[in-house]
CSV table of all heavy atoms in Angstrom, one decimal:
chain,number,residue,atom,x,y,z
A,122,ASP,N,-23.8,15.5,14.5
A,122,ASP,CA,-24.3,16.2,13.3
A,122,ASP,C,-25.0,15.2,12.3
A,122,ASP,O,-26.0,15.5,11.8
A,122,ASP,CB,-23.2,17.0,12.6
A,122,ASP,CG,-22.7,18.2,13.5
A,122,ASP,OD1,-23.3,18.5,14.5
A,122,ASP,OD2,-21.6,18.7,13.1
A,123,LEU,N,-24.3,14.1,12.1
A,123,LEU,CA,-24.8,13.1,11.1
A,123,LEU,C,-26.1,12.5,11.6
A,123,LEU,O,-27.0,12.2,10.9
A,123,LEU,CB,-23.7,12.1,10.8
A,123,LEU,CG,-22.6,12.6,9.9
A,123,LEU,CD1,-21.4,11.6,9.9
A,123,LEU,CD2,-23.0,12.9,8.4
A,124,ILE,N,-26.1,12.2,12.9
A,124,ILE,CA,-27.2,11.5,13.5
A,124,ILE,C,-28.5,12.5,13.4
A,124,ILE,O,-29.6,12.1,13.0
A,124,ILE,CB,-27.0,11.2,15.0
A,124,ILE,CG1,-26.0,10.0,15.1
A,124,ILE,CG2,-28.3,10.8,15.8
A,124,ILE,CD1,-25.6,9.6,16.5
A,125,ALA,N,-28.2,13.8,13.8
A,125,ALA,CA,-29.4,14.7,13.7
A,125,ALA,C,-29.9,14.8,12.3
A,125,ALA,O,-31.2,14.8,12.1
A,125,ALA,CB,-28.9,16.1,14.2
A,126,LEU,N,-29.1,14.9,11.3
A,126,LEU,CA,-29.5,14.9,9.9
A,126,LEU,C,-30.3,13.7,9.5
A,126,LEU,O,-31.3,13.8,8.9
A,126,LEU,CB,-28.3,15.0,9.0
A,126,LEU,CG,-27.8,16.4,8.6
A,126,LEU,CD1,-26.5,16.2,7.7
A,126,LEU,CD2,-28.9,17.1,7.9
A,127,GLN,N,-29.8,12.5,9.9
A,127,GLN,CA,-30.4,11.3,9.5
A,127,GLN,C,-31.8,11.1,10.2
A,127,GLN,O,-32.7,10.6,9.5
A,127,GLN,CB,-29.5,10.1,9.8
A,127,GLN,CG,-30.0,8.8,9.2
A,127,GLN,CD,-28.9,7.7,9.0
A,127,GLN,OE1,-27.7,8.0,9.0
A,127,GLN,NE2,-29.4,6.5,8.8
A,128,LEU,N,-31.9,11.5,11.5
A,128,LEU,CA,-33.1,11.3,12.1
A,128,LEU,C,-34.2,12.2,11.6
A,128,LEU,O,-35.4,11.9,11.5
A,128,LEU,CB,-33.0,11.5,13.6
A,128,LEU,CG,-32.2,10.4,14.4
A,128,LEU,CD1,-32.0,10.7,15.8
A,128,LEU,CD2,-32.8,9.0,14.2
A,129,GLN,N,-33.7,13.3,11.0
A,129,GLN,CA,-34.7,14.3,10.5
A,129,GLN,C,-35.1,14.0,9.1
A,129,GLN,O,-36.2,14.2,8.7
A,129,GLN,CB,-33.9,15.7,10.6
A,129,GLN,CG,-34.5,16.9,9.9
A,129,GLN,CD,-33.5,18.0,9.8
A,129,GLN,OE1,-32.7,18.2,10.8
A,129,GLN,NE2,-33.4,18.6,8.7
A,130,ASP,N,-34.1,13.4,8.3
A,130,ASP,CA,-34.2,13.4,6.9
A,130,ASP,C,-34.3,11.9,6.3
A,130,ASP,O,-34.5,11.7,5.1
A,130,ASP,CB,-32.9,14.0,6.4
A,130,ASP,CG,-33.1,14.9,5.2
A,130,ASP,OD1,-34.2,15.5,5.2
A,130,ASP,OD2,-32.2,15.0,4.4
A,131,GLY,N,-33.9,10.9,7.2
A,131,GLY,CA,-33.8,9.6,6.7
A,131,GLY,C,-32.3,9.4,6.2
A,131,GLY,O,-31.6,10.3,6.2
A,132,PRO,N,-32.0,8.2,5.8
A,132,PRO,CA,-32.7,6.9,5.8
A,132,PRO,C,-32.8,6.4,7.3
A,132,PRO,O,-32.3,7.0,8.2
A,132,PRO,CB,-31.8,6.0,5.0
A,132,PRO,CG,-30.4,6.6,5.2
A,132,PRO,CD,-30.6,8.1,5.3
A,133,PRO,N,-33.6,5.2,7.4
A,133,PRO,CA,-33.8,4.7,8.8
A,133,PRO,C,-32.5,4.4,9.5
A,133,PRO,O,-31.5,3.9,8.9
A,133,PRO,CB,-34.5,3.4,8.5
A,133,PRO,CG,-35.1,3.5,7.1
A,133,PRO,CD,-34.2,4.4,6.4
A,134,LEU,N,-32.5,4.8,10.8
A,134,LEU,CA,-31.3,4.6,11.7
A,134,LEU,C,-31.9,4.0,13.0
A,134,LEU,O,-32.7,4.6,13.7
A,134,LEU,CB,-30.7,6.0,12.0
A,134,LEU,CG,-29.7,6.1,13.1
A,134,LEU,CD1,-28.5,5.1,12.9
A,134,LEU,CD2,-29.1,7.5,13.2
A,135,HIS,N,-31.5,2.7,13.3
A,135,HIS,CA,-32.0,2.0,14.4
A,135,HIS,C,-30.9,1.9,15.5
A,135,HIS,O,-29.9,1.2,15.3
A,135,HIS,CB,-32.5,0.6,14.0
A,135,HIS,CG,-33.4,0.6,12.9
A,135,HIS,ND1,-34.8,0.9,13.1
A,135,HIS,CD2,-33.3,0.4,11.6
A,135,HIS,CE1,-35.4,0.9,11.9
A,135,HIS,NE2,-34.5,0.6,11.0
A,136,PHE,N,-31.1,2.5,16.6
A,136,PHE,CA,-30.2,2.4,17.8
A,136,PHE,C,-30.6,1.2,18.6
A,136,PHE,O,-31.7,0.7,18.5
A,136,PHE,CB,-30.2,3.6,18.7
A,136,PHE,CG,-29.5,4.8,18.0
A,136,PHE,CD1,-30.3,5.9,17.5
A,136,PHE,CD2,-28.1,4.8,17.9
A,136,PHE,CE1,-29.7,6.9,16.9
A,136,PHE,CE2,-27.5,5.9,17.3
A,136,PHE,CZ,-28.3,7.0,16.8
A,137,GLY,N,-29.7,0.7,19.4
A,137,GLY,CA,-30.0,-0.4,20.3
A,137,GLY,C,-30.4,-1.7,19.6
A,137,GLY,O,-31.1,-2.6,20.1
A,138,THR,N,-29.9,-1.8,18.3
A,138,THR,CA,-30.3,-2.9,17.4
A,138,THR,C,-29.0,-3.7,17.1
A,138,THR,O,-28.2,-3.2,16.3
A,138,THR,CB,-31.0,-2.4,16.2
A,138,THR,OG1,-32.1,-1.7,16.6
A,138,THR,CG2,-31.4,-3.5,15.3
A,139,ARG,N,-28.9,-4.9,17.7
A,139,ARG,CA,-27.7,-5.7,17.5
A,139,ARG,C,-27.8,-6.7,16.4
A,139,ARG,O,-28.9,-7.3,16.2
A,139,ARG,CB,-27.5,-6.4,18.9
A,139,ARG,CG,-26.2,-7.2,19.0
A,139,ARG,CD,-26.0,-7.6,20.5
A,139,ARG,NE,-27.0,-8.6,20.9
A,139,ARG,CZ,-26.9,-9.9,20.6
A,139,ARG,NH1,-25.9,-10.4,19.9
A,139,ARG,NH2,-27.9,-10.7,21.0
A,140,VAL,N,-26.8,-6.8,15.6
A,140,VAL,CA,-26.7,-7.8,14.6
A,140,VAL,C,-26.3,-9.1,15.3
A,140,VAL,O,-25.1,-9.2,15.7
A,140,VAL,CB,-25.8,-7.4,13.4
A,140,VAL,CG1,-25.7,-8.6,12.5
A,140,VAL,CG2,-26.3,-6.2,12.7
A,141,ARG,N,-27.2,-10.1,15.5
A,141,ARG,CA,-26.9,-11.3,16.2
A,141,ARG,C,-26.1,-12.2,15.2
A,141,ARG,O,-25.2,-12.9,15.7
A,141,ARG,CB,-28.2,-12.0,16.6
A,141,ARG,CG,-28.1,-13.4,17.2
A,141,ARG,CD,-29.4,-13.9,17.7
A,141,ARG,NE,-30.4,-14.0,16.6
A,141,ARG,CZ,-30.4,-14.9,15.7
A,141,ARG,NH1,-29.5,-15.8,15.6
A,141,ARG,NH2,-31.4,-14.9,14.8
A,142,ALA,N,-26.4,-12.2,13.9
A,142,ALA,CA,-25.7,-13.1,13.0
A,142,ALA,C,-25.8,-12.5,11.6
A,142,ALA,O,-26.8,-11.8,11.3
A,142,ALA,CB,-26.3,-14.5,13.0
A,143,VAL,N,-24.9,-12.9,10.7
A,143,VAL,CA,-24.9,-12.5,9.3
A,143,VAL,C,-25.0,-13.8,8.6
A,143,VAL,O,-24.2,-14.7,8.9
A,143,VAL,CB,-23.7,-11.7,8.9
A,143,VAL,CG1,-23.6,-11.4,7.5
A,143,VAL,CG2,-23.6,-10.4,9.8
A,144,SER,N,-25.8,-13.9,7.6
A,144,SER,CA,-25.9,-15.2,6.8
A,144,SER,C,-25.9,-14.9,5.3
A,144,SER,O,-26.1,-13.7,4.9
A,144,SER,CB,-27.1,-16.0,7.2
A,144,SER,OG,-28.2,-15.3,6.9
A,145,GLY,N,-25.7,-15.9,4.5
A,145,GLY,CA,-25.8,-15.7,3.1
A,145,GLY,C,-24.7,-14.9,2.5
A,145,GLY,O,-24.8,-14.3,1.4
A,146,VAL,N,-23.5,-14.9,3.1
A,146,VAL,CA,-22.4,-14.1,2.6
A,146,VAL,C,-21.9,-14.6,1.3
A,146,VAL,O,-21.2,-13.9,0.5
A,146,VAL,CB,-21.3,-13.9,3.6
A,146,VAL,CG1,-21.8,-13.2,4.9
A,146,VAL,CG2,-20.6,-15.2,3.9
A,147,GLU,N,-22.2,-15.8,0.9
A,147,GLU,CA,-21.7,-16.4,-0.4
A,147,GLU,C,-22.8,-16.3,-1.5
A,147,GLU,O,-22.6,-16.8,-2.6
A,147,GLU,CB,-21.3,-17.9,-0.2
A,147,GLU,CG,-20.3,-18.2,0.9
A,147,GLU,CD,-18.9,-17.8,0.5
A,147,GLU,OE1,-18.7,-17.2,-0.6
A,147,GLU,OE2,-18.0,-18.1,1.3
A,148,THR,N,-23.9,-15.7,-1.1
A,148,THR,CA,-25.1,-15.6,-2.0
A,148,THR,C,-25.3,-14.2,-2.6
A,148,THR,O,-24.5,-13.3,-2.2
A,148,THR,CB,-26.4,-16.0,-1.4
A,148,THR,OG1,-26.8,-15.0,-0.4
A,148,THR,CG2,-26.2,-17.3,-0.6
A,149,ASP,N,-26.3,-14.0,-3.4
A,149,ASP,CA,-26.6,-12.6,-3.9
A,149,ASP,C,-27.5,-11.9,-2.9
A,149,ASP,O,-27.9,-10.7,-3.2
A,149,ASP,CB,-27.4,-12.7,-5.2
A,149,ASP,CG,-26.5,-13.0,-6.3
A,149,ASP,OD1,-25.2,-13.0,-6.1
A,149,ASP,OD2,-26.9,-13.3,-7.5
A,150,ARG,N,-27.9,-12.5,-1.8
A,150,ARG,CA,-28.8,-11.9,-0.8
A,150,ARG,C,-28.2,-12.1,0.6
A,150,ARG,O,-28.8,-12.9,1.4
A,150,ARG,CB,-30.1,-12.5,-0.9
A,150,ARG,CG,-30.9,-12.2,-2.1
A,150,ARG,CD,-32.1,-11.3,-1.7
A,150,ARG,NE,-32.5,-10.4,-2.8
A,150,ARG,CZ,-33.7,-10.0,-2.9
A,150,ARG,NH1,-34.7,-10.3,-2.0
A,150,ARG,NH2,-34.0,-9.1,-3.9
A,151,PRO,N,-27.2,-11.4,1.0
A,151,PRO,CA,-26.7,-11.5,2.4
A,151,PRO,C,-27.8,-11.0,3.3
A,151,PRO,O,-28.6,-10.2,2.9
A,151,PRO,CB,-25.5,-10.6,2.5
A,151,PRO,CG,-25.5,-9.7,1.3
A,151,PRO,CD,-26.3,-10.4,0.2
A,152,ALA,N,-27.9,-11.6,4.5
A,152,ALA,CA,-29.0,-11.2,5.4
A,152,ALA,C,-28.4,-10.9,6.8
A,152,ALA,O,-27.4,-11.5,7.2
A,152,ALA,CB,-30.0,-12.3,5.6
A,153,VAL,N,-29.0,-10.0,7.5
A,153,VAL,CA,-28.7,-9.8,8.9
A,153,VAL,C,-29.8,-10.2,9.8
A,153,VAL,O,-31.0,-10.0,9.5
A,153,VAL,CB,-28.3,-8.3,9.2
A,153,VAL,CG1,-27.0,-7.9,8.6
A,153,VAL,CG2,-29.4,-7.3,8.7
A,154,HIS,N,-29.5,-10.8,10.9
A,154,HIS,CA,-30.5,-11.2,11.9
A,154,HIS,C,-30.3,-10.3,13.1
A,154,HIS,O,-29.3,-10.2,13.8
A,154,HIS,CB,-30.2,-12.7,12.3
A,154,HIS,CG,-30.2,-13.6,11.1
A,154,HIS,ND1,-31.3,-14.0,10.5
A,154,HIS,CD2,-29.1,-14.0,10.3
A,154,HIS,CE1,-31.0,-14.7,9.4
A,154,HIS,NE2,-29.6,-14.7,9.3
A,155,LEU,N,-31.4,-9.5,13.3
A,155,LEU,CA,-31.3,-8.4,14.2
A,155,LEU,C,-32.1,-8.7,15.5
A,155,LEU,O,-33.1,-9.4,15.5
A,155,LEU,CB,-32.0,-7.1,13.6
A,155,LEU,CG,-31.4,-6.7,12.3
A,155,LEU,CD1,-32.3,-5.6,11.6
A,155,LEU,CD2,-30.0,-6.1,12.5
A,156,VAL,N,-31.5,-8.1,16.6
A,156,VAL,CA,-32.2,-8.3,17.9
A,156,VAL,C,-32.3,-6.9,18.5
A,156,VAL,O,-31.4,-6.1,18.6
A,156,VAL,CB,-31.4,-9.1,18.9
A,156,VAL,CG1,-32.2,-9.4,20.2
A,156,VAL,CG2,-30.9,-10.4,18.3
A,157,ARG,N,-33.6,-6.5,18.9
A,157,ARG,CA,-33.8,-5.3,19.7
A,157,ARG,C,-34.7,-5.6,20.8
A,157,ARG,O,-35.9,-5.9,20.6
A,157,ARG,CB,-34.4,-4.2,18.7
A,157,ARG,CG,-34.7,-3.0,19.5
A,157,ARG,CD,-35.3,-1.8,18.8
A,157,ARG,NE,-35.5,-0.8,19.7
A,157,ARG,CZ,-34.6,0.1,20.1
A,157,ARG,NH1,-33.4,0.1,19.6
A,157,ARG,NH2,-34.8,1.0,21.0
Side-chain angles (χ1 to χ4, degrees):
D122 296 345
L123 289 168
I124 288 174
L126 269 177
Q127 187 160 345
L128 292 179
Q129 173 194 314
D130 224 30
L134 165 57
H135 307 281
F136 289 106
T138 302
R139 188 169 63 82
V140 174
R141 176 175 57 73
V143 175
S144 63
V146 300
E147 306 283 6
T148 72
D149 283 351
R150 287 250 154 152
V153 287
H154 306 278
L155 303 169
V156 187
R157 176 176 179 87

